[in-house]
Amino acid sequence: MAVPPWLESLLSTAFFTVCTTHGDAARGECNMYCLDCKGDAFCFYCRSSKHKDHQVIQIRRSSYHDVVRVTEIQKVLDISGVQTYVINSARVLFLNERPQPKSGKGVAHICEICGRSLLDPFRFCSLGCKLVGIKRNGNASFSLEAKNEVVVMDRTRREGISKEDEELREGSQQDIYPPTPPPPPSSARRRKGIPHRAPFGS
């Protein structure tokens, strides 16, 4: 499954509204989302009472835009290709695209969908743009299973290459340094004869 059933609902959910049940409480803002229920956002206290044993992620805010921590979302989604940022010492990514004036010349990396300038060579600026890219081109996926298959195939390929390199290396060493021939059989030591002097001329 390229796109999990809860993702589109997550991206269209309004967060940071006041909880109708716990609005007067200190943590009464709705910044939680349940992947099992796929419903509306809820607050910290609703999580304790209604979603105790469910898969829940917490949404945070950066410059009035919704973000999620990489450590939380990468457990349930393949986020490869999406630009990440470090905000308040935590690595996060944005849920949806953020409007931006047209990128000027000299921008090295831009989002394939909305054209937003990116810091690093990623394909998308947000989960929302990756979702559009999957629907439009089908050359990406949110599935962790597909990612794991690619990782296993890549590891197997690299192991095969390294093994082949090792065999080639061993072969080349044998070519460069041929085995030393065994020493010739030791012959019996010859006894020296008695030296003869040349006769003196008379």
Side-chain angles (χ1 to χ4, degrees), residues 28-190:
E29 60 182 6
C30 298
N31 64 344
M32 304 275 183
Y33 184 82
C34 180
L35 307 185
D36 297 319
C37 299
K38 302 185 285 290
D40 295 328
F42 51 89
C43 76
F44 171 81
Y45 305 102
C46 290
R47 175 182 185 173
S48 303
S49 59
K50 300 177 183 178
H51 307 273
K52 188 175 180 181
D53 299 319
H54 295 179
Q55 276 190 305
V56 174
I57 59 174
Q58 181 178 351
I59 306 302
R60 292 168 167 81
R61 284 229 137 165
S62 173
S63 302
Y64 303 101
H65 294 284
D66 298 334
V67 301
V68 61
R69 283 188 174 177
V70 169
T71 52
E72 288 187 60
I73 198 69
Q74 69 182 1
K75 296 175 184 176
V76 292
L77 278 185
D78 173 10
I79 59 170
S80 59
V82 181
Q83 172 75 63
T84 59
Y85 302 86
V86 176
I87 298 173
N88 295 332
S89 302
R91 187 161 290 277
V92 302
L93 50 79
F94 286 87
L95 295 190
N96 292 292
E97 70 174 88
R98 294 163 291 151
Q100 181 191 40
K102 190 174 181 181
S103 300
K105 294 180 180 179
V107 176
H109 313 294
I110 62 171
C111 175
E112 292 181 7
I113 303 305
C114 70
R116 183 180 185 86
S117 59
L118 304 177
L119 301 177
D120 304 300
F122 288 97
R123 296 180 57 192
F124 309 104
C125 70
S126 62
L127 293 178
C129 281
K130 181 171 181 178
L131 176 61
V132 174
I134 290 173
K135 291 183 174 183
R136 183 181 299 175
N137 305 317
N139 59 353
S141 175
F142 281 116
S143 171
L144 288 174
E145 292 178 5
K147 179 182 180 181
N148 291 336
E149 287 177 8
V150 170
V151 169
V152 170
M153 287 174 60
D154 185 55
R155 187 183 301 128
T156 305
R157 183 178 62 83
R158 277 183 290 147
E159 288 175 355
I161 291 174
S162 61
K163 186 176 180 182
E164 184 179 334
D165 287 345
E166 187 175 343
E167 291 172 356
L168 288 172
R169 219 169 15 247
E170 289 177 357
S172 62
Q173 286 177 354
Q174 289 175 0
D175 293 340
I176 297 171
Y177 306 108
T180 308
S186 60
S187 56
R189 182 179 272 183
R190 292 182 183 178

